[in-house]
């Protein structure tokens, strides 16, 4: 029997996330999902013009050398709060390089800038709300005193007719998640929604669901 799109979303993405050992965010029986929790944009939102903002952050156009670090894929889906896929969403993402350094004038972290790491991308969601990008596993970095931010990727997600979402995606199993001052302000359910699921070792691939709400 052909599955409806809605049951595909529930059985596919939600099923895969629960299959990866993460608690399910929202129940499979429910017909709606809470929007992905907001998180601060932080001080390192890109401010310098950059020509190459494509989905492969490990390779800057025109360069023959790829970014240092552990190359990973992130694949996901954008749905609305009624669990319908949302196409043509603008997904902007930025992150630290593998050493924990942003390419940003205000980042005073002594870790080196990686000239081969793109650091910033803008990708659209496809017809089924799907998106995919290749990047490096971001490094942890010190904010102040003993606060080390766990590896994370910043997102700004927008489409006309929907509330803009600014959030951060985390990685499963990182012990810094347990003590992060931002992530730990969230409820368990919210944390589950913000932590991606690892679905493949080679190539290392993480799955992430973004839920946006109509205005
Ligand atoms: Fe950050």
């Amino acid at each position: 029997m052909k599955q409806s799109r809605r049951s595909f979303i529930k059985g596919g993405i939600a099923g895969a996330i629960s299959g990866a050992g993460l608690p399910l965010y929202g129940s499979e029986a429910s017909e709606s999902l809470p929007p992905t929790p907001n998180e601060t944009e932080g001080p390192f939102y890109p401010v310098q013009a950059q020509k190459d903002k494509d989905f492969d952050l490990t390779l800057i156009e025109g360069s023959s050398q790829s970014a240092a670090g552990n190359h990973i894929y992130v694949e996901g889906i954008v749905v609305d709060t009624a669990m319908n896929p949302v196409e043509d969403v603008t997904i902007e993402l930025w992150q630290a390089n593998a050493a924990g350094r942003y390419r940003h004038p205000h980042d005073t972290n002594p870790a080196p800038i990686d000239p081969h790491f793109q650091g910033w991308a803008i990708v659209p969601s496809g017809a089924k709300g799907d998106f995919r990008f290749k990047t490096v596993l971001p490094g942890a970095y010190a904010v102040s005193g003993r606060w080390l931010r766990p590896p994370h990727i910043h997102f700004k997600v927008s489409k006309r007719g929907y509330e803009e979402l600014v959030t951060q995606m985390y990685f499963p199993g990182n012990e810094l998640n347990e003590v992060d001052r931002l992530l730990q302000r969230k409820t368990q359910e919210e944390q589950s929604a913000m932590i991606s699921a690892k679905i493949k070792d080679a190539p290392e691939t993480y799955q992430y669901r973004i839920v946006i709400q109509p205005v």
Side-chain angles (χ1 to χ4, degrees):
M1 197 181 93
K2 206 172 163 214
Q3 282 189 309
S4 72
R5 177 175 279 189
R6 181 164 290 189
S7 69
F8 169 77
I9 300 304
K10 286 182 178 173
I13 298 293
I17 287 175
S18 63
L22 282 179
L24 195 62
Y25 186 52
S27 97
E28 290 199 57
S30 83
E31 288 293 318
S32 65
L33 289 167
T36 299
N38 283 287
E39 189 49 277
T40 174
E41 181 176 291
F44 304 130
Y45 181 72
V47 290
Q48 288 164 335
Q50 183 177 305
K51 196 168 172 213
D52 185 0
K53 295 186 283 289
D54 78 347
F55 78 102
D56 185 355
L57 290 86
T58 66
L59 196 63
I60 293 177
E61 195 181 332
S63 172
S64 57
Q65 198 175 330
S66 62
N70 189 7
H71 292 191
I72 63 170
Y73 289 88
V74 176
E75 42 185 59
I77 187 168
V78 185
V79 296
D80 65 17
T81 45
M83 302 178 82
N84 302 301
V86 189
E87 72 174 317
D88 207 23
V89 173
T90 301
I91 302 162
E92 185 174 13
L93 59 117
W94 67 101
Q95 63 167 85
N97 67 26
R101 174 78 187 263
Y102 287 85
R103 190 198 293 263
H104 191 286
H106 295 160
D107 189 357
T108 54
N109 185 329
I113 286 176
D114 178 354
H116 304 294
F117 178 53
Q118 191 175 299
W120 173 28
I122 301 179
V123 297
S125 65
K128 293 178 176 137
D130 53 299
F131 65 90
R132 187 168 191 258
F133 60 91
K134 183 181 185 185
T135 188
V136 300
L137 194 66
Y141 60 86
V143 178
S144 62
R146 277 182 280 171
W147 180 17
L148 262 186
R149 296 256 28 236
H152 61 275
I153 300 178
H154 295 264
F155 283 85
K156 187 176 282 198
V157 180
S158 57
K159 179 173 176 163
R160 191 174 293 259
Y162 294 83
E163 301 273 1
E164 183 179 83
L165 170 71
V166 177
T167 191
Q168 299 182 23
M169 183 199 98
Y170 297 85
F171 293 87
N174 192 292
E175 57 189 22
L176 291 172
N177 290 345
E178 307 300 321
V179 291
D180 183 55
R181 291 183 197 172
L182 294 181
L183 187 57
Q184 289 305 317
R185 280 190 207 149
K186 307 292 188 194
T187 65
Q188 271 308 319
E189 192 179 49
E190 289 172 334
Q191 290 181 34
S192 298
M194 299 174 84
I195 300 173
S196 57
K198 190 177 184 185
I199 56 165
K200 211 187 287 177
D201 283 327
E204 193 171 324
T205 306
Y206 295 87
Q207 193 174 52
Y208 180 52
R209 179 174 61 192
I210 296 171
V211 185
I212 56 176
Q213 60 182 333
V215 290

